[in-house]
Amino acid sequence: MFLVVLPFLVLVLVFSYLPLAGWATAFFDYKPALGLSGSEFVGLQWFRMLVSSPTQLQQIGQVMANTLAMSFLGIATSLLPVFFAMLLNEIRAPWFKNAVQTLTTLPNFISWVLVYMIAFSMFSTSGLVNSVLNDWGLITTPIKFLDTGEHVWLTMLLWSLWKGLGWGAIMYLAAITSIDPALYESARIDGAGRFQLMRYITFPQLMPTYVVLLVLSIANMLNNGMEQYYVFQNAFNKEHIQVLDLYVYNIGITGNSLSMATALGMLKSVISVLLLVTANAIAKRARGTSII
Amino acid sequence: MPKTSDALKRTRGDVPFALVNYVGFLLFALLCAYPFYFLIINSVSANDVSALGDIRLWPEGLHLSNYSQILQLDGLSAAAVVSVARTVIGTACTVLASAFLGYMFTQERMWKRSLWYRLIIFTMYFSAGLIPLYITMKTLGLTNSFWVYILPAIVQPFNIILVKTYVESMPRSLQEAAEIDGAGTIRTFFRIILPNMTPILATVAIFTAVAQWNSFQDTLLYITDQKLYSLQYLLYTYTNQANSLAQAAQNAQGNLGAIVSAATTQTPTSIRMTVAVLVVLPIIFIYPLFQRYFVKGIMLGAVKG
């Protein structure tokens, strides 16, 4: 029985565990053409180089600031899906509720490439918004919404909200339907109005779900992914858009320093696992069950 | 919520609140839906008008020739084939593997079962990183190979958890009856378990298919051979590189011979919009139909967290 599972285990080993051997790259001056055996062993040189010169230090600092800023903005807005669900739940007409749900969750299922394409056709200098503003006589020169280094963190947040808010609320909407109706009944008998029901019954009942997701997002602080930032990246916003994952790609693949990128990625992986283990331990102590 | 005493409980604040609530959601829903509508009306409007950015609320000079012309673009039909192939083959492989592994990991007789299970689940929380993965693919000769789209995605820990939980909730007697009849583990899987798993497999399939269709990063990392570009990747290059787009527009024109009229002449805008619609249309059609499976998927995920 083990034998039939074996091919799949081999896949897991090859694609998830074998790459760990690639960490060795971080300790060599890796040249793809020569392979690891032909490359020179340099010890911790790359790790030292990450923090050696003031320019390098400044760059890493900016990348960390971007990474943490995007993560914290995400965490700061993580209550929005809760409110979205609570308010949508107050809508009486089922057809309206369903239509809103379908339309607002749709953006979650398109790729970031497509989101960027939409952003481009709406907000580029020849895009819809600029041409509408121009026709209304509000501007004479097009506003550079995309090719700018200003408000990058904020616009990235807004795009992730556009894409993810509706979908983020789905889980809370389902959680609301599983709240014991007796709670509402007794609160009503006590004279609670609509807002009091929301404030004292619905909201607290959603908190356990919220806390689990919050802890997970704290554990994933360094993992913003690179796709969103890669597609929106350009010469103007590069300084503020480069999060850790994108930076690793940029220096490793585009900039061709595979060893240094591996060193950085390795640090990231280790810290992420430590964060997850810590978050899990805290959740375990607080709720008695582990989240992973 | 029960509606019994709604009429009685309606206070003065309720009507303005409901109004604001309805209007708020209406606006946000429009904000979500309009961009899709915008792409569609632009792709079917006269190309000289759409290039000016004047198509905003409804199509003008309705025509569908963009869709037939777009296939003349260099590499577009190849990219469409790649995207469809990876979605179909990738989804089939992942669904079958998830079903099989999810079931096998419920079989207590398997040697060191929980060790292997943990080995797979652990990969959910940990990644060696982008560059080591890239080096691995290169070493294995998977860069510039179609299989880089399929093989790494076959074993999905999350799907295996979903299926395993589902099998565990199935009546035990189902399996036992099959075993008493002398069916082996594999036979039981194909004859009894698989046909009874369709709801969970539908959920797995729909998530996998969307992920495969939308995938962009693997092309970016592992593929330089233009024949293996996916539609997503092509759309990205069309959006971002005005030069390659203008070139594509010219080529499309050349391939068609004589230019018909300004309304059907390809412009960068018309190409971009039409390719975008091609990329998004399957999602728009499939999503509302299978919405309940998506919702179920996320709920099951929440249980296991």
Side-chain angles (χ1 to χ4, degrees):
Chain A
M1 209 185 281
F2 168 68
L3 286 178
V4 288
V5 178
L6 189 61
F8 298 100
L9 290 177
V10 171
L11 282 178
V12 174
L13 285 176
V14 167
F15 292 114
S16 296
Y17 289 97
L18 187 63
L20 287 176
W23 277 9
T25 318
F27 304 98
F28 286 80
D29 184 12
Y30 183 67
K31 301 270 190 294
L34 301 173
L36 205 56
S37 52
S39 303
E40 190 195 346
F41 181 78
V42 293
L44 293 174
Q45 183 199 308
W46 297 112
F47 293 91
R48 279 200 297 271
M49 254 179 87
L50 284 173
V51 290
S52 57
S53 66
T55 23
Q56 184 62 45
L57 209 58
Q58 199 260 338
Q59 199 170 37
I60 295 273
Q62 183 66 48
V63 167
M64 285 313 295
N66 297 342
T67 307
L68 295 177
M70 309 266 191
S71 294
F72 280 121
L73 284 173
I75 291 169
T77 50
S78 60
L79 268 179
L80 287 181
V82 179
F83 295 137
F84 187 103
M86 284 168 62
L87 290 173
L88 188 60
N89 189 51
E90 296 297 318
I91 300 270
R92 291 290 152 79
W95 66 269
F96 186 82
K97 209 166 159 177
N98 288 336
V100 167
Q101 246 190 63
T102 305
L103 293 176
T104 57
T105 48
L106 187 59
N108 186 62
F109 294 97
I110 63 171
S111 62
W112 277 111
V113 172
L114 205 81
V115 174
Y116 175 66
M117 195 279 159
I118 286 170
F120 187 88
S121 47
M122 298 281 152
F123 293 102
S124 71
T125 44
S126 59
L128 177 74
V129 172
N130 267 314
S131 62
V132 168
L133 289 178
N134 194 41
D135 288 0
W136 289 352
L138 292 172
I139 53 164
T140 46
T141 47
I143 303 172
K144 291 187 171 178
F145 291 106
L146 297 172
D147 295 340
T148 168
E150 283 170 50
H151 316 300
V152 177
W153 295 348
L154 191 67
T155 45
M156 287 302 108
L157 173 72
L158 290 176
W159 281 114
S160 9
L161 283 177
W162 180 76
K163 195 173 190 287
L165 182 56
W167 183 246
I170 290 274
M171 202 185 295
Y172 297 115
L173 275 166
I176 288 175
T177 58
S178 64
I179 297 175
D180 186 357
L183 286 174
Y184 291 106
E185 280 308 318
S186 52
R188 270 206 205 90
I189 290 165
D190 290 345
R194 180 208 290 252
F195 297 107
Q196 284 164 318
L197 292 179
M198 283 164 78
R199 164 83 178 76
Y200 295 106
I201 311 281
T202 316
F203 188 73
Q205 291 284 320
L206 292 179
M207 278 304 103
T209 314
Y210 173 73
V211 170
V212 172
L213 295 178
L214 183 71
V215 171
L216 277 176
S217 62
I218 292 172
N220 272 318
M221 210 152 43
L222 297 181
N223 307 315
N224 318 69
M226 64 169 265
E227 211 162 310
Q228 175 185 4
Y229 310 103
Y230 178 84
V231 293
F232 275 94
Q233 167 179 249
N234 58 44
F236 304 93
N237 64 18
K238 194 167 179 180
E239 191 186 342
H240 299 287
I241 210 170
Q242 266 196 127
V243 294
L244 210 43
D245 285 321
L246 180 57
Y247 186 63
V248 167
Y249 175 85
N250 282 346
I251 61 172
I253 307 287
T254 318
N256 234 337
S257 40
L258 289 172
S259 289
M260 191 155 135
T262 308
L264 192 59
M266 188 175 153
L267 286 177
K268 196 201 87 155
S269 295
V270 172
I271 295 173
S272 289
V273 168
L274 289 178
L275 276 174
L276 186 67
V277 172
T278 316
N280 191 40
I282 293 170
K284 214 170 189 169
R285 181 163 295 181
R287 309 167 57 230
T289 52
S290 81
I291 50 168
I292 57 171
Chain B
M1 258 190 274
K3 290 184 172 185
T4 43
S5 52
D6 276 353
L8 293 171
K9 283 281 186 276
R10 194 152 276 174
T11 56
R12 243 186 294 166
D14 275 4
V15 175
F17 168 77
L19 194 68
V20 171
N21 208 11
Y22 271 92
V23 171
F25 277 114
L26 185 69
L27 288 178
F28 188 66
L30 283 178
L31 197 66
C32 288
Y34 176 72
F36 298 102
Y37 176 72
F38 178 78
L39 297 180
I40 294 171
I41 56 173
N42 268 279
S43 74
V44 296
S45 289
N47 294 350
D48 47 345
V49 188
S50 71
L52 296 173
D54 285 344
I55 307 295
R56 290 167 195 173
L57 294 176
W58 45 78
E60 273 174 52
L62 207 66
H63 71 106
L64 287 172
S65 61
N66 284 345
Y67 288 93
S68 52
Q69 287 186 30
I70 207 89
L71 293 171
Q72 316 269 347
L73 283 181
D74 277 342
L76 194 116
S77 43
V81 171
V82 168
S83 279
V84 170
R86 68 173 294 175
T87 304
V88 172
I89 302 174
T91 307
C93 289
T94 305
V95 167
L96 270 176
S98 306
F100 186 62
L101 291 175
Y103 163 69
M104 290 307 278
F105 281 120
T106 63
Q107 301 300 302
E108 278 141 26
R109 285 165 300 168
M110 192 206 288
W111 179 59
K112 299 267 189 211
R113 176 181 67 130
S114 66
L115 174 70
W116 308 128
Y117 186 63
R118 273 188 219 147
L119 195 77
I120 292 178
I121 301 307
F122 185 62
T123 62
M124 267 170 90
Y125 304 109
F126 185 76
S127 153
L130 192 79
I131 309 294
L133 208 55
Y134 169 76
I135 294 174
T136 307
M137 297 300 178
K138 218 173 160 85
T139 317
L140 294 170
L142 280 172
T143 43
N144 282 329
S145 154
F146 176 75
W147 297 104
V148 81
Y149 293 141
I150 311 292
L151 294 177
I154 289 182
V155 180
Q156 297 287 349
F158 183 69
N159 293 344
I160 295 172
I161 296 177
L162 289 188
V163 174
K164 183 170 177 265
T165 316
Y166 191 84
V167 175
E168 279 163 353
S169 73
M170 282 161 70
R172 194 85 200 141
S173 53
L174 215 60
Q175 278 185 56
E176 277 160 7
E179 276 155 24
I180 289 166
D181 289 347
T185 313
I186 308 285
R187 214 180 143 87
T188 312
F189 171 71
F190 282 107
R191 287 286 169 80
I192 309 294
I193 305 293
L194 201 55
N196 281 300
M197 276 202 289
T198 36
I200 192 73
L201 293 187
T203 304
V204 169
I206 204 82
F207 271 99
T208 314
V210 170
Q212 281 282 6
W213 181 257
N214 281 342
S215 182
F216 162 74
Q217 204 173 316
D218 45 14
T219 316
L220 177 72
L221 270 175
Y222 307 127
I223 305 290
T224 49
D225 180 357
Q226 297 198 3
K227 286 196 283 292
L228 289 170
Y229 281 175
S230 61
L231 276 181
Q232 300 283 346
Y233 193 81
L234 219 56
L235 177 64
Y236 175 73
T237 50
Y238 284 166
T239 311
N240 223 24
Q241 297 162 12
N243 294 335
S244 74
L245 188 58
Q247 190 65 46
Q250 238 167 30
N251 290 346
Q253 234 48 260
N255 291 345
L256 285 172
I259 291 166
V260 200
S261 79
T264 52
T265 301
Q266 292 303 326
T267 67
T269 310
S270 71
I271 293 185
R272 212 183 278 132
M273 299 286 179
T274 313
V275 176
V277 174
L278 224 53
V279 167
V280 80
L281 220 52
I283 305 276
I284 295 183
F285 274 122
I286 287 174
Y287 179 63
L289 288 177
F290 293 95
Q291 198 180 0
R292 60 199 175 96
Y293 290 114
F294 285 105
V295 174
K296 198 159 72 187
I298 195 177
M299 290 322 294
L300 288 166
V303 173
K304 198 72 195 177

